[in-house]
Amino acid sequence: MEAAEGTVNGAVDYDGNPVPRSTSGGWRSASFIIAVEVAERFAYYGISSNLITYLTGPLGQSTASAAANVNTWSGTATLLPLLGAFVADSFLGRYRTIIFASLIYILGLGLLTLAARLTSANLHHCRSTKDVSVCAPPRLLVTLFFFSVYLVAVGQGGHKPCVQAFGGDQFDGQDPKESKAKSSFFNWWYFAISVGITMTLIVLVYIQENLSWALGFGIPCVVLVVALLVFLLGSRTYRYSAKENGKNPFMRIGRVIVRAIRNRRNTPSAIPSEEDAFQWRQCTEQFKFLNKALLAPDGSLVGQNECSVNDVEDTKALLKIVPIWITSVAYAIVFAQTSTFFTKQGATLDRKIVSSFRVPAATLQTFIGFSIMIFIPVYDRIVVPISRRLTRKPSGITMLQRIGSGMVFSIISMVTAALVERKRLEAAKDNGLLDLSKVTIPMSIWWLAPQYILCGVADVLTIVGLQEFCYDQVPKELRSLGISIYLSIFGIGSFLSTFLISTINKATSGDGQESWFANNLNRAHLDYFYWLLTGLSALGFTAYLYFSRSYIYNKESAI
């Protein structure tokens, strides 16, 4: 479909008409979408960043159980976008999915606030009448709490893949000027949500630990309601993707795979016309077996309405990113530690900034946010322009080079974390605190800053790189799926982290020995776990280098 002069190809306005370039999309429309995403991240991290503290505090779980529950919930929350993307790309579209998902999200946050309020009231009553050690919330309230957080995960599953893809849709990759803006969009997108996350870690975490958990969960609910209203205000300015020939993209991809398997023994021996021969030559050599989806039983080519070259190439585009997806999982396992064991480490250290103020342990994650907010402008305004001059590529370095660079910083962060943890254990031993887990170790909280900062730099490179890569390298109609594929990396990483923790906990806690993840961290060995993750990350990076070197970018991609 050719675009009329002054309109955007493949996009329509709110009423389904060709959309004018001058009055739609761009940074103006993207700002509405960024606003709702900042609010969503504020809400999500209002739960995830301090969830382990709530589980080990008001709900009374052990450190290992709480870490496993956090990773399981986080993994589910980052895999559900696959379902949300399917619904958006096949049925509702991104705009409607964002609205419905936001409503589910708000409902989950409301129920979570209620669960926290009732749990707090129950514990207050119990502690005033019984021994504190026997106080535990009723099963009904625990069930309500977990139902609420998983309802939030469902809302996030529809919200997360669509919002970022919808934001990217506001820039036309075919236009040279907008193509550069789109590359910058992913940088500033991550910058904006880092601001939201940092505000969570500074404000919400303090409210949760010092004022009220119910208030700490209720504020994000109100913020998300306001953000949804802001998002709706921009409805008339957005660019909406138009489906190609009205076909369901998942049906197109599925048909190619089924036909290729069915025709696996057929050969193109009877291509009658020059036009069909030309069409066959248009197919790329990579994943050549999929080309047979174009064949009829007699070896001739089927009609374009049944299966086209574009359908085959779109299927190949999805398969090409699988090796990159797999080799990025080790990075995601490291990423999962920042909101679990890093936080528990910080809780044992001297967190005083001034004599009367102690920093909440989860607030340490602001080091990641601040490093992101500092490094993104440096990367976008200094590194990219310099590398553009050297490489003559719109984005400076390629997306895969950016991802790999972040993996290196991630490995260094794990080495740093292991060395700092060894230092912490030695400080506990030297001060006779090995069996006094409640006593603060005389070691400054600032010792943890380097590992957090390195994680922040790694996130700017790898996470933003993966976002752009998975959005850019999938078919246009499946870009919500592309973002969900990126998110699923971190879902699998969280589940694998849970598996590692459970397996290691069982293997190291026998024969009267302390587990690597003992409740008393002064007797635990998180340093061993961090060295293990360093090794896994190095193996993953080696495999990543092998596959990334042979990766062929899509022709329309601005790399």
Side-chain angles (χ1 to χ4, degrees):
M1 180 180 71
E2 292 294 329
E5 187 176 353
T7 62
V8 181
N9 188 30
V12 296
D13 63 13
Y14 184 79
D15 297 314
N17 301 316
V19 60
R21 185 182 301 277
S22 60
T23 59
S24 69
W27 284 108
R28 180 184 61 166
S29 297
S31 62
F32 290 105
I33 300 168
I34 288 173
V36 76
E37 177 65 4
V38 169
E40 188 275 331
R41 291 292 86 185
F42 180 78
Y44 180 81
Y45 277 86
I47 299 170
S48 67
S49 63
N50 215 17
L51 183 57
I52 193 167
T53 305
Y54 189 83
L55 294 177
T56 55
L59 294 193
Q61 295 187 350
S62 68
T63 299
S65 295
N69 276 323
V70 170
N71 285 326
T72 301
W73 176 77
S74 178
T76 302
T78 43
L79 284 178
L80 280 172
L82 291 169
L83 177 61
F86 173 77
V87 171
D89 289 339
S90 297
F91 304 108
L92 295 180
R94 288 161 200 154
Y95 175 77
R96 291 187 183 90
T97 304
I98 291 168
I99 294 173
F100 285 122
S102 295
L103 294 174
I104 294 172
Y105 214 132
I106 290 165
L107 176 61
L109 288 170
L111 291 175
L112 183 61
T113 303
L114 176 64
R117 180 70 186 90
L118 294 176
T119 300
S120 176
N122 176 78
L123 289 176
H124 178 74
H125 174 73
C126 176
R127 287 168 179 169
S128 65
T129 58
K130 300 179 183 178
D131 183 358
V132 172
S133 63
V134 299
C135 287
R139 184 177 296 274
L140 178 62
L141 290 182
V142 175
T143 302
L144 177 61
F145 173 83
F146 279 104
F147 174 78
S148 302
V149 292
Y150 277 94
L151 192 61
V152 167
V154 171
Q156 196 256 182
H159 193 282
K160 188 64 179 169
C162 298
V163 174
Q164 189 166 9
F166 194 52
D169 291 344
Q170 306 311 307
F171 301 91
D172 182 10
Q174 305 294 322
D175 180 80
K177 185 177 179 181
E178 291 196 24
S179 178
K180 287 184 178 180
K182 177 182 280 191
S183 183
S184 288
F185 165 77
F186 286 95
N187 289 327
W188 292 105
W189 171 274
Y190 202 60
F191 177 89
I193 64 176
S194 295
V195 172
I197 294 169
T198 303
M199 289 299 295
T200 297
L201 298 172
I202 293 174
V203 178
L204 277 188
V205 169
Y206 180 82
I207 290 173
Q208 289 168 354
E209 294 193 15
N210 295 278
L211 298 178
S212 164
W213 283 99
L215 183 61
F217 292 141
I219 291 174
C221 183
V222 175
V223 169
L224 200 56
V225 170
V226 174
L228 178 58
L229 296 176
V230 171
F231 174 75
L232 293 173
L233 287 176
S235 298
R236 292 284 176 181
T237 74
Y238 299 143
R239 295 173 183 174
Y240 302 84
S241 293
K243 275 189 180 179
E244 182 183 351
N245 301 323
K247 291 182 180 179
N248 184 312
F250 287 92
M251 292 297 292
R252 292 194 297 113
I253 302 300
R255 187 183 296 119
V256 169
I257 295 172
V258 171
R259 289 186 59 82
I261 294 172
R262 188 182 296 162
N263 295 336
R264 62 188 181 278
R265 292 189 175 86
N266 291 0
T267 55
S269 57
I271 298 179
S273 67
E274 181 62 29
E275 182 181 348
D276 284 352
F278 175 76
Q279 183 182 338
W280 180 260
R281 289 196 297 270
Q282 291 294 104
C283 296
T284 57
E285 291 298 305
Q286 196 171 19
F287 300 113
K288 194 174 180 180
F289 68 94
L290 289 175
N291 296 350
K292 293 190 175 183
L294 297 171
L295 298 177
D298 62 357
S300 62
L301 296 192
V302 296
Q304 289 290 298
N305 289 332
E306 192 168 348
C307 189
S308 68
V309 173
N310 282 342
D311 295 340
V312 172
E313 293 304 309
D314 284 352
T315 306
K316 291 180 179 181
L318 285 177
L319 290 180
K320 281 196 304 181
I321 67 176
V322 171
I324 304 301
W325 182 92
I326 292 173
T327 54
S328 298
V329 169
Y331 176 88
I333 297 175
V334 172
F335 181 84
Q337 310 314 313
T338 58
S339 61
T340 53
F341 290 127
F342 279 21
T343 301
K344 295 302 289 184
Q345 272 181 290
T348 68
L349 300 180
D350 182 3
R351 292 178 279 135
K352 286 183 181 178
I353 292 183
V354 293
S355 59
S356 60
F357 181 76
R358 297 176 76 234
V359 178
T363 300
L364 293 174
Q365 294 170 59
T366 55
F367 286 131
I368 296 177
F370 284 128
S371 63
I372 288 171
M373 287 187 281
I374 292 169
F375 188 61
I376 281 182
V378 171
Y379 181 83
D380 195 71
R381 299 303 182 192
I382 299 175
V383 176
V384 171
I386 292 173
S387 56
R388 273 178 187 156
R389 294 191 192 100
L390 296 174
T391 65
R392 298 186 179 180
K393 290 182 170 67
S395 57
I397 60 175
T398 68
M399 291 176 277
L400 291 176
Q401 288 171 341
R402 178 175 185 167
I403 293 166
S405 300
M407 289 181 176
V408 173
F409 278 97
S410 177
I411 293 170
I412 297 172
S413 76
M414 276 295 98
V415 172
T416 304
L419 294 175
V420 171
E421 175 60 9
R422 170 48 52 187
K423 169 74 175 175
R424 190 191 68 83
L425 291 174
E426 288 175 355
K429 182 178 180 181
D430 293 343
N431 289 276
L433 301 176
L434 289 180
D435 296 311
L436 300 174
S437 60
K438 301 294 184 182
V439 178
T440 299
I441 295 173
M443 176 177 166
S444 173
I445 196 75
W446 296 105
W447 277 92
L448 296 181
Q451 66 198 56
Y452 277 107
I453 292 170
L454 287 166
C455 283
V457 174
D459 288 354
V460 170
L461 295 168
T462 296
I463 292 183
V464 180
L466 283 170
Q467 288 172 354
E468 187 175 2
F469 176 79
C470 291
Y471 174 89
D472 190 81
Q473 294 297 296
V474 301
K476 182 183 290 186
E477 294 171 304
L478 291 173
R479 282 175 171 168
S480 295
L481 177 66
I483 296 298
S484 70
I485 289 172
Y486 141 72
L487 291 168
S488 70
I489 294 172
F490 295 91
I492 295 297
S494 291
F495 281 121
L496 287 177
S497 180
T498 300
F499 172 76
L500 282 174
I501 291 169
S502 299
T503 303
I504 293 170
N505 191 49
K506 290 178 182 177
T508 60
S509 58
D511 300 326
Q513 294 182 341
E514 292 284 358
S515 163
W516 284 11
F517 314 111
N519 289 337
N520 178 3
L521 287 189
N522 297 341
R523 288 285 185 182
H525 276 292
L526 291 182
D527 54 333
Y528 294 171
F529 183 57
Y530 293 153
W531 284 120
L532 174 62
L533 294 185
T534 300
L536 290 175
S537 297
L539 287 174
F541 177 64
T542 303
Y544 173 84
L545 283 179
Y546 174 81
F547 288 109
S548 62
R549 284 179 177 177
S550 60
Y551 185 86
I552 301 172
Y553 287 91
N554 293 340
K555 291 180 181 178
E556 295 181 0
S557 169
I559 60 173

